[in-house]
Amino acid sequence: MSESTSFDFNVFFKESKETLLNPKAYFSTMKTSGGIAEPVIKALIYGILAGVIAFLWGVLGLGGRLGVFGAGIGAMALFYTIAGALIILFIGAVILLIISSICKGSTDFEANLRVVAASLVVMPVSALLGFTMGISSVFGAIIALCVNLYALYLLYYGLTEALKANPATTKIVMYVLAALLVILMLFGFRTQKKLNNYMDDLSRAEPREMSS
């Protein structure tokens, strides 16, 4: 009889925990071959978990200033997060392959795909902390930035340990990407402020229209 190749959820949860808590050790022993089915399934699971959490926050109105649209946006988040996980997986693998090449690391597509799939463990974490946007948009943005910076931290070890990239060059690239994340967050603050002002104006306009 042929050996079973079914997805092992016990291994999945163990690897997810190790990726989050001890990324250097995990990536140093991570398999870089064996087919793309495993990383695709892993990305799908992370996407589903993140989507379900985002949906629940939307239903509960804890995903930000969404008002009565919370449940609807939460439902859309469920679909788009799952689809987004696959898009991020494959596009991210191409981008990581380019970075790995620059940093003198592996240019094997599957190896890069597996590193990205493992790093997507931050998706459910990010979704779980999404309720902070309902507390304060600034606080939520800072939390999101911290999660994204941690994702870069995971990718650093993925590059240096699994893909054997040059640590010094990789560190420089990660610093550049971290700076870009901060810049994007600052631009996001301005956009969020405009959105909040619009929602406030809309909520004030409704009572006036009803009384007229």
Side-chain angles (χ1 to χ4, degrees):
M1 295 179 65
S2 60
E3 185 179 352
S4 174
T5 57
S6 60
F7 189 81
D8 192 328
F9 282 94
N10 289 327
V11 173
F12 166 76
F13 287 116
K14 180 181 178 181
E15 289 181 346
S16 298
K17 180 180 178 181
E18 190 173 9
T19 304
L20 280 173
L21 302 180
N22 194 4
K24 184 176 182 179
Y26 171 73
F27 283 113
S28 65
T29 58
M30 187 194 77
K31 294 189 302 180
T32 56
S33 62
I36 68 170
E38 182 182 336
V40 168
I41 294 173
K42 182 178 286 190
L44 276 174
I45 294 173
Y46 290 143
I48 291 170
L49 289 174
V52 169
I53 294 169
F55 172 75
L56 291 176
W57 286 154
V59 170
L60 296 173
L62 297 175
R65 302 184 63 172
L66 304 176
V68 296
F69 302 106
I73 292 178
M76 288 189 292
L78 177 60
F79 171 77
Y80 287 120
T81 305
I82 296 171
L86 291 178
I87 294 171
I88 293 171
L89 175 65
F90 286 98
I91 295 180
V94 173
I95 295 173
L96 190 67
L97 188 149
I98 295 171
I99 294 174
S100 182
S101 177
I102 293 171
C103 300
K104 309 300 182 184
S106 172
T107 55
D108 179 71
F109 180 75
E110 183 184 339
N112 284 269
L113 189 78
R114 285 174 172 268
V115 169
V116 174
S119 301
L120 288 179
V121 69
V122 300
M123 285 189 70
V125 176
S126 178
L128 186 63
L129 296 173
F131 74 91
T132 56
M133 291 298 295
I135 299 173
S136 165
S137 59
V138 174
F139 179 55
I142 292 173
I143 294 297
L145 175 64
C146 291
V147 173
N148 288 329
L149 290 176
Y150 194 76
L152 290 181
Y153 176 72
L154 297 182
L155 288 175
Y156 170 78
Y157 282 117
L159 282 162
T160 56
E161 297 295 331
L163 303 178
K164 309 303 179 185
N166 180 275
T169 308
T170 304
K171 192 172 292 186
I172 293 172
V173 173
M174 292 298 108
Y175 283 145
V176 171
L177 293 176
L180 289 175
L181 285 176
V182 173
I183 293 171
L184 288 174
M185 184 189 73
L186 295 176
F187 277 112
F189 281 154
R190 293 186 61 185
T191 303
Q192 184 65 40
K193 185 177 180 180
K194 291 180 180 179
L195 177 61
N196 289 343
N197 290 337
Y198 172 77
M199 295 297 289
D200 288 339
D201 292 341
L202 189 63
S203 62
R204 285 195 294 265
E206 288 178 353
R208 288 199 297 267
E209 290 177 358
M210 292 179 64
S211 60
S212 60

